[in-house]
Amino acid sequence: MRTAFKCRAYPSPEQAVVLNRTFGCVRLVWNKTLGERNHRFRTKGARTTYRETDTDVAELDPTMVVISRDPDGRWYVTFSVDTEAPVPTRPVSHSIGVDLGLSDFLVTSDGERIANPRHLAGKARNLARHQRRLARCRRGSSNRRKAKAKVARAHRKVRNARQDFLHRTTTRLVRPADVIAIEDLNIRGMVRNHHLARAISDAGWGEFRRQLEYKCSRAGRSLVVIDRWFPSSKICSTCGHRLAQLSLSARHWTCQGCRTRHDRDLNAAKNILAAGRAVARAGSGNACGADVRRQGPTLPRSAAKQETRTSGKAK
């Protein structure tokens, strides 16, 4: 399998000059190519694929080394190598369901809660101070260049802290479970809610799922994705009774069928696990989570009909 590595680079001043000049050439080629594509579309109505663009500019080798530079001035080198496929992790005969949220980053069906670190919210005040200083600097001045670098460094610290948290969390989930069940959240639709957009983006749910997918693949684990319309929060994980309505502010509720007192997030994680187990028995792939067998007379109906379809869901 092919594995990519990204490492910090420390070019000498002479090398930095050459690389900066090369970046300028790359921008020039890209802008000219983009102009040709737009011109062809306007005059002939024909689109230009990336394959055709690469053929006209240069044949790109996917194994080539890529040099990049962050806005704060740090250099990185990215390269890929062919490695042997990793040995699957030893089975542990354990499955977990994961419910993502904002108050807690996630709650598992085992009852484990991982707090939401809120990286951007914790650095917002410091970042705003740097941005105000940048806004006061004259364009093109040396002070503005320094202030711009400070803003970029502040963003980098938030980004790196978030990446470190997500890597630790996903690894912590993959190691003790053979099957991991999660919900297919409509993140793109959810960030349209201006009240929650910053908090959802700060949580990094999309990156969390990406890391979980490739880590499960490497470790030989099964990742089951439950349909986003499956009402995991509204179904009693004990008897299967389904609530008609459940407001987002209600963090606990009592089942009218068996009188069980539920924590909203923990109950959702247990329902996600039940749906994931049903799909894991039937085969791998995405799942809707409908018609899952439970210890009770009430069975969930088709997942597509259980909730009013909205742009997304947040817990």
Side-chain angles (χ1 to χ4, degrees):
M1 63 179 298
R2 178 166 294 173
T3 305
F5 297 90
K6 184 176 182 179
C7 306
R8 180 84 182 272
Y10 299 89
S12 64
E14 294 79 12
Q15 292 172 331
V17 171
V18 175
L19 290 173
N20 284 324
R21 187 182 301 120
T22 304
F23 287 168
C25 295
V26 171
R27 285 194 295 269
L28 178 63
V29 172
W30 169 255
N31 290 334
K32 285 184 173 293
T33 303
L34 183 60
E36 289 295 331
R37 293 178 63 180
N38 293 335
H39 177 72
R40 182 186 179 190
F41 181 77
R42 288 194 302 266
T43 56
K44 301 180 180 180
R47 298 181 181 275
T48 305
T49 64
Y50 283 103
R51 184 182 296 275
E52 293 172 340
T53 302
D54 292 341
T55 302
D56 294 336
V57 179
E59 285 294 334
L60 299 179
D61 184 2
T63 62
M64 67 191 306
V65 177
V66 177
I67 306 296
S68 60
R69 185 191 64 197
D70 275 0
D72 62 350
R74 288 193 173 191
W75 295 86
Y76 297 91
V77 55
T78 304
F79 59 93
S80 60
V81 295
D82 293 327
T83 60
E84 296 182 358
V87 179
T89 308
R90 181 176 58 86
V92 293
S93 301
H94 183 62
S95 304
I96 58 173
V98 178
D99 179 66
L100 296 177
L102 293 178
S103 55
D104 290 310
F105 179 77
L106 64 83
V107 178
T108 70
S109 55
D110 295 335
E112 180 183 9
R113 294 178 180 271
I114 297 181
N116 187 357
R118 303 180 187 273
H119 298 286
L120 182 59
K123 300 290 185 180
R125 186 174 181 179
N126 185 49
L127 181 60
R129 183 174 66 253
H130 289 310
Q131 289 174 330
R132 286 194 298 268
R133 291 177 180 175
L134 174 63
R136 289 194 295 264
C137 294
R138 181 170 55 86
R139 291 186 177 275
S141 65
S142 178
N143 286 338
R144 182 177 178 83
R145 185 170 60 253
K146 295 177 182 178
K148 189 175 181 180
K150 289 184 178 180
V151 172
R153 281 196 293 271
H155 279 291
R156 171 177 52 80
K157 291 179 180 179
V158 173
R159 183 173 63 251
N160 289 348
R162 182 184 298 115
Q163 282 289 104
D164 179 73
F165 168 76
L166 293 176
H167 275 295
R168 291 176 184 271
T169 303
T170 50
T171 301
R172 183 175 175 179
L173 292 175
V174 170
R175 286 176 177 172
D178 293 325
V179 177
I180 302 175
I182 62 174
E183 284 184 296
D184 181 25
L185 299 177
N186 182 16
I187 300 176
R188 181 175 297 181
M190 294 168 70
V191 295
R192 294 174 184 169
N193 184 332
H194 300 297
H195 298 286
L196 299 175
R198 176 177 293 184
I200 293 173
S201 300
D202 189 21
W205 289 342
E207 177 64 13
F208 170 81
R209 175 170 170 176
R210 187 194 71 84
Q211 292 185 13
L212 204 58
E213 286 177 346
Y214 85 78
K215 290 183 180 181
C216 284
S217 177
R218 287 186 176 183
R221 307 304 200 193
S222 297
L223 178 65
V224 181
V225 182
I226 307 303
D227 186 84
R228 66 186 58 168
W229 308 115
F230 176 56
S232 57
S233 300
K234 296 181 179 180
I235 299 175
C236 174
S237 58
T238 303
C239 70
H241 176 79
R242 185 174 68 89
L243 295 179
Q245 295 292 334
L246 181 63
S247 63
L248 188 61
S249 59
R251 310 315 302 175
H252 298 81
W253 59 279
T254 301
C255 176
Q256 299 176 0
C258 63
R259 307 307 299 172
T260 302
R261 180 71 173 172
H262 289 296
D263 176 275
R264 179 194 184 105
D265 299 330
L266 179 58
N267 178 69
K270 290 180 179 180
N271 286 322
I272 292 171
L273 173 60
R277 280 175 171 168
V279 176
R281 288 193 297 267
S284 59
N286 289 351
C288 68
D291 302 329
V292 179
R293 293 292 177 181
R294 303 176 187 276
Q295 299 177 355
T298 306
L299 289 177
R301 294 170 296 179
S302 173
K305 299 180 180 179
Q306 292 192 10
E307 282 190 342
T308 302
R309 297 195 175 221
T310 58
S311 60
K313 153 174 118 168
K315 296 184 179 67

